[in-house]
Amino acid sequence: MSPPRVAMLVANDITRDSRVQKVAYSAAEAGFDVLLVGYDPNAPGSPARTTHIGAAAVVRTGLSNRFRLKAGELARHHGSAARIRLLRAASFATRMDYKARRRLMKSVKEPGTGGPGLKGKAKEALWKVYIRDGDWRRTARHLLLLEDAWSAVVEEFRPDVIHAHDMHTPGIGVRIADRIERSGGVRPKVVYDAHEFVDGVFMPTQRKLAYTGLEREFVRRADAVATVSGVLADMLMRKYRLPERPTVVANAPMIGLDPAPGGGAPSLRAVLGLADGVPLLVYSGALSPARGVDVAVEALPLLEGVHLAVVCGDERDAYVRSLVARAGELGVGDRMHTAPYVAPHEVPAYLASATAGVIPILHTVNHEIALITKYYEYMHARLPMVVSDVEAMARKTVELGCGEVFAVRATDEAADAGLRERDAEAFAKAAGRVLADPAAYAAAYTDELLAENSWEGQAEILVGLYAGLAGRRPQHLSGRRSFAETE
């Protein structure tokens, strides 16, 4: 009997989504036949090539629509010229409709932003009749074009399970499953993986209305719901009155992989050219004002001789450049560094040469409810931590004794200078305590604790979920494949 098939959907290009990469890799290693489908805005509407993460196949598409796909299919089979012209006309109309809607979305992101005059009043009127109800079919129309691009790929794969990652894809997963059933096939089971609490994500109001409406419509139509923390699982269960508590699969690091060819991850300290005795704080991961890294930069003048490394995907990013510029203004530019990303499974080894890890994030709903990926990465790097007083991470840090917590009062990039100054002082005091005796804090990381908080343990939960939905468990693959994406 062939192994159960799992199609995974994610509306990003996969390269920086460590959760999606780990899920695909581990499911394939467990013996499932895995197809991971991502979105690349520069790709054609049909997959141009297939790569692999371990034994999982990976394809990426851009946006498309059913009229363009049908016209292309007809043209390849020498169909009616009139029919082809009609489909191409419908395709053109769909693209124009999408562009017009996107222009409107960019023009009026929030109520009250239409501006003065007749044009402004018209925009506000459009907001009231067009956006406020949160109808994602009108205000997030790109999801329909993404569904068109993915449908043929997924239907041809004939999955037993569709895993819809993050807030953008539950509708696509459910609708494709329904389409397969209507065409006479066996309906795949659908897993909706809620990576975040949508109401708590910082985004324009019109987008939030669309994605909360999308989740509300489809979360109960999924056959199973998974998420990243117990707190979020309980929030989702209460909000949507789910019949079962979502399965929790935490974003812990992988610890059992062989080093990459060439010796594995480099040392962050070596990349920066810093001697072993130099105190080094590190922030690793996605950057935005809500991540609070500017608080750590503001604290550097108060931490004599201490260096700060920001591990980021793109040092040309506007926010990263603002951090570097601010360090220069404060006279600590020589102690502020940027460093590149490494592969997700190499992050703990990469960071391990730092003295402590920092998580100065500001208070938002999603920051309060879960241990974020970097928390686990710092843990496996055996780095003591300096953490803001967001609920879940502050509580865990105090419980383990693995770091210090400081109070953060600023709420966004527009916070007044007085709040920023007090936050920086609080950060500096907490960091000073950790740097005075980092080994004492790092002693909290026992081998047993790290094993409990590894991805390998979380993957077993996921495999059990898939097996239950598919009705059978495949045989685990022999040997072990590289985690790096390959042709």
Side-chain angles (χ1 to χ4, degrees):
M1 180 180 291
S2 61
R5 295 186 165 192
V6 180
M8 300 184 184
L9 311 178
V10 63
N12 61 46
D13 74 352
I14 302 167
T15 56
R16 295 183 186 177
D17 196 326
S18 62
R19 180 177 179 85
V20 170
Q21 293 175 34
K22 290 183 295 189
V23 168
Y25 178 88
S26 296
E29 289 296 295
F32 291 91
D33 188 355
V34 175
L35 175 66
L36 172 56
V37 186
Y39 166 62
D40 178 354
N42 299 313
S46 298
R49 68 190 185 107
T50 301
T51 59
H52 291 83
I53 297 175
V58 180
V59 297
R60 297 171 174 87
T61 78
L63 300 180
S64 188
N65 64 73
R66 66 198 68 187
F67 305 113
R68 177 190 295 178
L69 294 172
K70 288 179 179 177
E73 186 69 19
L74 237 87
R76 284 192 294 274
H77 292 86
H78 308 291
S80 160
R83 174 69 172 160
I84 292 171
R85 283 196 297 270
L86 184 62
L87 287 169
R88 285 176 174 164
S91 171
F92 176 78
T94 301
R95 292 200 305 274
M96 293 303 100
D97 175 67
Y98 167 67
K99 288 180 179 180
R101 291 168 188 265
R102 181 171 178 173
R103 189 169 183 176
L104 174 61
M105 296 299 99
K106 287 185 174 181
S107 179
V108 188
K109 294 182 179 180
E110 305 288 346
T113 60
L118 186 61
K119 186 176 180 181
K121 290 179 181 178
K123 286 182 178 180
E124 289 301 313
L126 282 170
W127 169 275
K128 290 175 182 176
V129 303
Y130 184 78
I131 296 174
R132 66 179 176 181
D133 65 354
D135 183 352
W136 63 272
R137 290 169 180 82
R138 292 188 296 157
T139 60
R141 198 168 182 81
H142 61 286
L143 297 180
L144 294 174
L145 302 184
L146 198 55
E147 180 183 330
D148 284 340
W150 286 351
S151 289
V153 179
V154 176
E155 290 171 32
E156 182 180 356
F157 182 64
R158 293 179 291 114
D160 298 284
V161 177
I162 296 175
H163 187 147
H165 285 277
D166 214 351
M167 69 184 80
H168 318 88
T169 65
I172 298 176
V174 169
R175 285 157 63 92
I176 290 177
D178 290 346
R179 191 174 298 117
I180 290 172
E181 184 177 38
R182 286 197 301 270
S183 66
V186 176
R187 185 185 187 277
K189 302 294 186 181
V190 178
V191 177
Y192 168 45
D193 192 343
H195 291 191
E196 303 180 271
F197 188 62
V198 180
D199 281 341
V201 177
F202 179 77
M203 66 174 99
T205 300
Q206 47 94 345
R207 284 176 56 197
K208 184 174 290 190
L209 288 170
Y211 289 125
T212 52
L214 176 70
E215 185 176 71
R216 182 173 57 250
E217 180 176 347
F218 290 103
V219 65
R220 289 178 60 88
R221 293 190 59 198
D223 299 279
V225 179
T227 192
V228 298
S229 77
V231 174
L232 183 49
D234 293 336
M235 292 170 71
L236 291 169
M237 192 170 181
R238 286 194 301 269
K239 180 177 181 180
Y240 296 117
R241 299 179 181 178
L242 299 177
E244 295 182 5
R245 187 173 187 259
T247 300
V248 176
V249 182
N251 286 331
M254 305 176 89
I255 62 174
L257 290 176
D258 296 328
S267 157
L268 175 62
R269 192 175 288 270
V271 168
L272 301 178
L274 290 180
D276 288 346
V278 176
L280 176 60
L281 302 175
V282 63
Y283 174 90
S284 174
L287 282 163
S288 70
R291 305 288 175 144
V293 181
D294 56 315
V295 172
V297 173
E298 295 287 337
L300 278 180
L302 306 174
L303 294 165
E304 186 176 352
V306 176
H307 288 240
L308 172 67
V310 176
V311 177
C312 54
D314 184 0
E315 63 182 15
R316 298 167 300 177
D317 174 82
Y319 182 62
V320 177
R321 285 190 280 109
S322 74
L323 295 175
V324 173
R326 181 56 179 159
E329 293 170 1
L330 294 170
V332 292
D334 60 330
R335 294 194 277 127
M336 163 77 188
H337 312 272
T338 60
Y341 279 163
V342 294
H345 66 288
E346 295 180 331
V347 171
Y350 183 46
L351 304 180
S353 61
T355 313
V358 303
I359 307 179
I361 57 178
L362 309 187
H363 291 283
T364 70
V365 173
N366 279 299
H367 290 170
E368 305 286 350
I369 62 179
L371 301 183
I372 57 179
T373 303
K374 68 175 58 61
Y375 194 97
Y376 292 105
E377 290 170 342
Y378 292 166
M379 182 186 294
H380 281 270
R382 296 181 184 264
L383 294 180
M385 299 188 215
V386 183
V387 178
S388 63
D389 58 341
V390 292
E391 184 177 348
M393 285 180 284
R395 185 173 64 247
K396 179 59 72 172
T397 301
V398 171
E399 175 191 322
L400 296 178
C402 64
E404 291 287 340
V405 176
F406 73 98
V408 62
R409 298 174 179 83
T411 56
D412 56 32
E413 67 273 24
D416 67 67
L419 288 179
R420 284 293 183 204
E421 185 176 338
R422 289 198 291 275
D423 288 347
E425 290 173 357
F427 177 92
K429 289 177 181 177
R433 290 192 293 271
V434 170
L435 294 172
D437 191 2
Y441 294 95
Y445 302 131
T446 64
D447 292 341
E448 293 76 16
L449 176 70
L450 299 183
E452 289 171 9
N453 290 278
S454 70
W455 174 255
E456 282 75 4
Q458 299 302 308
E460 283 301 312
I461 299 172
L462 185 73
V463 167
L465 176 62
Y466 286 162
L469 292 171
R472 63 190 192 279
R473 180 184 289 262
Q475 185 174 352
H476 199 286
L477 299 186
S478 60
R480 189 157 52 185
R481 279 132 293 277
S482 170
F483 184 72
E485 188 170 351
T486 58
E487 295 293 335

